[in-house]
Amino acid sequence: DGGITQSPKYLFRKEGQNVTLSCEQNLNHDAMYWYRQDPGQGLRLIYYSQIVNDFQKGDIAEGYSVSREKKESFPLTVTSAQKNPTAFYLCASSPQPAQGQPQHFGDGTRLSIL
Amino acid sequence: AQKVTQAQTEISVVEKEDVTLDCVYETRDTTYYLFWYKQPPSGELVFLIRRNSFDEQNEISGRYSWNFQKSTSSFNFTITASQVVDSAVYFCALSERGAAGNKLTFGGGTRVLVKP
């Protein structure tokens, strides 16, 4: 079945460590997104990519980095510069950047600090 | 800047009761889209419905219905005859034509608890 796969489901980070969250989609979607969700709050956009080898910062990009070397993959790295990384991270994709297309979401990765 | 407000943080109902979720949005764009997503305890967001700013016709789809009113910038969502499986967090979201990359702005979410 087509969908978005995020891994791992749970991730623990030590102080000063970079960690990478994986997001893979087999929906043949052009656009991909990373969101952060804090407890009891809505989703905030970290980065998005409309096409391979191109990506843009969202509202809370500081302390994060991404790459888009393949259409199917959009990994997110949480760097040591992100001082409060504990959150639920959701990856999404949409068929094209065209306005109004609903985004499809993965199951999320829950990141905690050791 | 665009903004989405869901004033209700949590709603608790007994099974078979109707539940209405409120959503108020702010935008300066004349062309935009509104969405409702459901987030069950498993965590993923499930797309429910979409409305564009030029279509104020309200619809019913199964047990779901929505009421879009541009005059009050509201996009409310109703679950009729609620079931335990409807327990989840529901998010309202806005996408503006002027926003690059089909970006979504989310409200804070409303947690719905349906008790048997």
Side-chain angles (χ1 to χ4, degrees):
Chain A
D1 285 353
I4 299 175
T5 301
Q6 290 188 241
S7 62
K9 195 170 180 67
Y10 300 94
L11 187 59
F12 298 91
R13 194 192 89 168
K14 295 180 181 178
E15 293 287 342
Q17 185 182 43
N18 293 354
V19 292
T20 298
L21 284 61
S22 170
C23 178
E24 303 277 335
Q25 55 101 356
N26 60 4
L27 300 168
N28 199 33
H29 286 174
D30 292 305
M32 297 187 74
Y33 310 82
W34 274 106
Y35 292 91
R36 170 179 171 141
Q37 184 179 19
D38 291 285
Q41 298 187 31
L43 280 68
R44 292 182 291 169
L45 182 65
I46 305 173
Y47 268 98
Y48 67 100
S49 168
Q50 300 181 68
I51 196 170
V52 174
N53 293 322
D54 187 49
F55 48 83
Q56 285 78 39
K57 293 181 179 179
D59 300 320
I60 55 166
E62 186 175 350
Y64 300 97
S65 66
V66 294
S67 63
R68 186 85 186 276
E69 297 177 2
K70 298 186 299 182
K71 187 176 183 178
E72 307 79 34
S73 179
F74 192 40
L76 173 74
T77 296
V78 184
T79 74
S80 56
Q82 173 50 246
K83 298 306 179 187
N84 184 23
T86 298
F88 188 54
Y89 291 86
L90 283 158
C91 178
S93 69
S94 65
Q96 53 184 315
Q99 191 68 32
Q101 292 287 345
Q103 294 179 17
H104 301 259
F105 286 81
D107 291 346
T109 292
R110 197 168 298 279
L111 175 62
S112 302
I113 296 297
L114 285 177
Chain B
Q2 65 274 22
K3 184 178 178 182
V4 178
T5 302
Q6 296 179 250
Q8 307 149 305
T9 55
E10 185 165 323
I11 299 175
S12 182
V13 298
V14 176
E15 205 169 18
K16 296 183 183 173
E17 289 183 344
D18 297 349
V19 55
T20 295
L21 309 180
D22 298 332
C23 173
V24 175
Y25 61 92
E26 296 177 26
T27 178
R28 284 180 281 189
D29 215 328
T30 56
T31 303
Y32 52 89
Y33 291 81
L34 294 161
F35 302 81
W36 276 98
Y37 283 87
K38 173 183 179 180
Q39 185 177 40
S42 52
E44 81 279 15
L45 263 71
V46 178
F47 165 69
L48 296 177
I49 54 175
R50 172 186 58 184
R51 220 64 190 141
N52 71 57
S53 53
F54 295 105
D55 185 0
E56 289 192 70
Q57 182 178 3
N58 296 312
E59 290 189 19
I60 298 174
S61 175
R63 295 187 299 109
Y64 297 157
S65 63
W66 46 96
N67 186 350
F68 175 34
Q69 293 191 349
K70 285 180 72 173
S71 60
T72 56
S73 297
S74 66
F75 184 49
N76 298 337
F77 175 64
T78 297
I79 305 171
T80 303
S82 61
Q83 301 175 1
V84 173
V85 293
D86 296 326
S87 296
V89 180
Y90 291 81
F91 290 98
C92 180
L94 165 71
S95 175
E96 297 176 315
R97 182 182 65 177
N102 192 31
K103 292 189 293 183
L104 289 174
T105 298
F106 285 85
T110 298
R111 182 176 300 277
V112 173
L113 178 60
V114 181
K115 300 177 182 176

